[in-house]
Amino acid sequence: MVHMLQVENVTKNFLGLRALDACSFSLDQGEVTCLVGPNGAGKTTVFDCITGFLNPDAGTIMLNGETITGMNRRKIVQKGIGRSFQNLRLFEELSVIDNVIVCLADDSGNDPITAILRPFHSQKILDRKRGEALKILERVGLEHKADHFVTQISFGQQKLLCIARVLATQAKVMLLDEPTSGLSATALKNMVDVIRQLSAAGMTLLVVEHNTKIVRDIADKIVFMHQGRVLASGVPGDVLERRDLADIYFGGGN
Amino acid sequence: MLFLQLIADGLVNGCAIGVVAITFTYVYTTTGVFHVAHAGVFTLGGYLAWYLSKEGIPFVLCVALAMVICAAVGAAIEKGIYEKLLKRQATPLVQLIASLGLLAVLQNLVAILFTPNVLQFESIAWRMKVLHFGPIDLTIPQVLTVFTAFAAVYGLIYFSTKTNLGRRIRAVASNRTLAEITRLKPFEVYVYVMAISSALVVLPSVFIGLDQAMQPYSSVLVLLTAVIAVISGGLGSIRGAFSASLVMGIVQNAVLIVVPGRWSIALTFTLFIVFILFRPTGLFATKIRRAS
Amino acid sequence: MNFFLSYIILAEIFAIVALSTNFLVGVIGIFSVSQAAIMGVGAYAYAIAVMAGIPFPLALLLAITLCALLNVATSLPSLRLEGDYFVVTSFGLQIVATAVFMNWSAVTGGTSGIAGIPAPRFSGLSFDEPENFVFLSTFALGLASAGYWLLMRSSYGRTLHAIRLDELAAVAAGRHVLQMKLGISAVSGAYAGLGGALYAIFMSFIDPSSFEIHVSVLILTMLVVGGARTLAGSILGPFIILAVPQMLTLLALPPHLIGPLRSLAFGVILVSFMLWLPKGLAGRKI
Ligand SMILES: Nc1ncnc2c1ncn2[C@@H]1O[C@H](COP(=O)(O)OP(=O)(O)OP(=O)(O)O)[C@@H](O)[C@H]1O
Ligand SMILES: [Mg+2]
């Protein structure tokens, strides 16, 4: 069976530090996989390697059986892998809806000729994109904030906006880096609902998550990382019961 | 033997460019500011020395005084402007525009206080004196350019590897955020770096001025050549920047055989563009990067 | 009267060039100190074309296209790379352009420049006189402003903002950052070319000194004073800055000091605005 996304023996070094050491795991269509591990385990580095922000030193990454290692970052997005960032990286001086518009897969109208010489056509494109972006904002429940600036919405809403931006790229595989960290109880519940809905709609998700309760809640599968290695992967019940992993996780290493 | 002479002249130019290059790199890698006003300090140093020598002060003292004044000016620029901008987390673009404004201030101050015209060190009699080295003729200022350049390079290398302050500067350069947390006091370090670089850059300014002539606005060209050398050499080491400058000086002079001098900057620049298209990381493979 | 009109016309021409700078400095946040060089290429290209008998609209189009291409060609290598390469290419372009204007005498007339550039005439109406020319320059500025406004509100304009704010996030969204930057670089070049051609027509004489690095600094000062990233800023800046030399002439200064004093003033203005008002009078954060 071909996995949606398959990471095989991916290794990445930073000047002598082995951030990833022959990592292997796979994601299946419509499943939520939680990437778990202590700080510095290499979770973000995995994201960077999958999305082409870093070139792995060894190993292959395949999307639906097609190798995407070494492909340029834009190409990978077009193939359907979208990501969010641990530190959000929203466009802070733009409005909520513009943050989404800018990320839409539809690249039409993004050139000066259309913008200046065909103003009416350009306006039509913009209106269409606005409509599309609004629909995406509805999926995460932010449509009422569309014309606010990023700085005017709450942290929880900013995190939802990150998801909306990834949705705008028409991703089939979503990589979310700590979407729930720092959220209030209500925002957290909201986020969990959004993730569940995405998964129900067929999205393949890889979510970095620190809270074991939430992991139990949303995960179909867990990948446990430590010091750049995948120590375990499988269904939550199995992985979360393992004492040795819990020790690593809560003991803060070694 | 014209060829040998061209190479020798090129080496001399390369030495002058080299001092500008290493001092620019020193500021850039430590403070992160793309200090284009360095060209203004260069101009100021040369004119100060010229003015003092005209007043009858012994030449060595003129150079020393010019270096001291420029060091003070450099420190003042850091304290009064760059530090304020860095503390306010101004973007690199803002820092750069401020530096450009400073360049205009320094150049035009020189033009107003001294003269906007081309001038020569008339009061220095030995500046035209030629020494013969086999087939090669060099003027005394040319010879001094080479000596002072090597002294500056090796002095700076010694300073940054063997002295406490030098090592502290390197520590700050390698990690600015960490330096702020620890007790390295980066802002104090920046002031030293600017003072040292501003003092050293007086040397090539004076000796180029002695050998050829001075003009308030020509230093931008010198700085540009130096920065091109820095990038081509790959940022990071003092030695690398200096070696690349030597190569640059020789190439610039060697092409004089085939193209007239007035086209040499256009040619250098075009070569540079082609070069970075194919080797964006420079000859020695470290990318030019802002200190972060 | 004529004096006042000339001031208006020059300010309008420089407003077009300030908009050109705004695209680079304000919109995508890259430094430029070679706008005068591009403007100069536009001016020379127009002058040479018109004097070779090419009709006005074609000559104008030629100047604009050439400048757009030149801006793209010179920014391509540095845009492909991160960091401060752009500073170097920008300075380099300015210095090389001046060297070419000075030394390619057969084409540019060297230091003596090109004189007697004819003004266009439309059905008997000649644009020789400021009274007529002011309509042309106002019309051109109107078009340029409309272009700026349309561009900034389009989805392209929004994407450019996003790229300035966080290039990495724009890449993660699948945007073709280099292509977008090159596009705006072409537009910027076209604007500078238009400004240059208008300048050549209005002055009817051009020489290398009109397009030196000091002029590039002047243009940057206009943008900084007016304020980056707004239409108002780019228009306000030139009107304010071009009034400075006039004020200097009111003080009885020795003539050989006027040039340096003016440049000194611009330097002081640049530093002061960066320290205390980086937004300019009517702009946004840079
Ligand atoms: N660009 C880099 N250069 C050098 N080292 C890096 C770089 N990026 C990450 N590292 C190192 O690689 C290791 C893995 O980092 P990574 O960010 O992937 O961890 P993480 O699991 O995402 O941790 P966290 O939970 O803190 O986000 C860490 O030791 C980190 O310091
Ligand atoms: Mg992480």
Side-chain angles (χ1 to χ4, degrees), chain C residues 165-189:
Chain C
L165 292 167
D166 194 332
E167 187 165 329
L168 215 62
V171 173
R175 293 285 81 97
H176 200 320
V177 171
L178 176 64
Q179 189 181 311
M180 307 251 154
K181 283 185 176 174
L182 286 178
I184 197 66
S185 174
V187 177
S188 167

Side-chain angles (χ1 to χ4, degrees), chain A residues 140 159-167 174 176 191 194 198:
Chain A
V140 298
K159 290 220 159 188
L160 288 170
L161 180 55
C162 291
I163 293 186
R165 281 203 321 190
V166 183
L167 277 174
M174 268 182 136
L176 304 180
M191 178 64 76
V194 167
L198 287 173

Side-chain angles (χ1 to χ4, degrees), chain A:
Chain A
M1 178 190 134
V2 179
H3 297 288
M4 188 73 183
L5 186 82
Q6 186 158 7
V7 173
E8 251 179 41
N9 291 320
V10 167
T11 298
K12 178 75 197 172
N13 298 304
F14 292 118
L15 304 166
L17 174 92
R18 180 150 289 198
L20 295 182
D21 190 358
C23 272
S24 302
F25 63 88
S26 58
L27 310 181
D28 288 305
Q29 150 106 55
E31 281 189 358
V32 178
T33 306
C34 280
L35 190 55
V36 187
N39 289 100
K43 305 178 294 288
T44 301
T45 308
V46 166
F47 276 28
D48 287 341
C49 287
I50 295 175
T51 52
F53 279 71
L54 290 173
N55 260 329
D57 299 328
T60 44
I61 297 160
M62 285 182 292
L63 179 70
N64 266 327
E66 181 192 2
T67 304
I68 56 165
T69 12
M71 232 181 231
N72 92 29
R73 296 177 287 191
R74 194 163 37 88
K75 200 72 189 285
I76 293 175
V77 181
Q78 283 164 359
K79 293 264 169 204
I81 301 181
R83 72 174 290 181
S84 73
F85 293 93
Q86 197 168 344
N87 52 350
L88 309 200
R89 307 196 80 123
L90 291 168
F91 305 117
E92 296 209 346
E93 287 170 36
L94 298 187
S95 66
V96 167
I97 194 158
D98 280 349
N99 263 274
V100 179
I101 288 177
V102 161
C103 297
L104 286 169
D106 178 3
D107 206 19
S108 62
N110 280 342
D111 63 281
I113 311 259
T114 314
I116 300 180
L117 300 182
R118 303 179 65 196
F120 294 105
H121 183 56
S122 165
Q123 183 62 42
K124 230 170 23 202
I125 292 174
L126 186 63
D127 290 341
R128 187 181 75 219
K129 287 187 172 179
R130 242 192 102 84
E132 228 173 292
L134 262 178
K135 267 191 235 140
I136 290 168
L137 284 176
E138 270 167 34
R139 285 180 73 180
V140 298
L142 277 183
E143 69 281 8
H144 60 295
K145 294 285 181 187
D147 291 311
H148 286 62
F149 281 96
V150 169
T151 41
Q152 295 168 325
I153 61 176
S154 70
F155 185 61
Q157 289 167 331
Q158 290 182 353
K159 290 220 159 188
L160 288 170
L161 180 55
C162 291
I163 293 186
R165 281 203 321 190
V166 183
L167 277 174
T169 67
Q170 291 184 354
K172 295 183 294 222
V173 179
M174 268 182 136
L175 315 181
L176 304 180
D177 207 342
E178 308 201 357
T180 66
S181 68
L183 293 189
S184 67
T186 40
L188 195 83
K189 194 179 158 304
N190 198 354
M191 178 64 76
V192 168
D193 287 345
V194 167
I195 292 175
R196 281 222 188 93
Q197 273 163 30
L198 287 173
S199 160
M203 182 72 71
T204 309
L205 286 134
L206 179 63
V207 181
V208 173
E209 181 54 66
H210 281 295
N211 184 330
T212 31
K213 197 176 149 300
I214 296 175
V215 173
R216 266 181 227 282
D217 240 20
I218 59 172
D220 296 306
K221 213 168 73 190
I222 292 181
V223 174
F224 188 100
M225 283 186 69
H226 178 50
Q227 294 184 340
R229 255 169 297 186
V230 175
L231 293 192
S233 60
V235 292
D238 293 353
V239 177
L240 289 177
E241 297 318 312
R242 277 178 56 180
R243 284 251 20 122
D244 54 331
L245 299 183
D247 283 347
I248 289 175
Y249 196 69
F250 296 109
N254 309 314

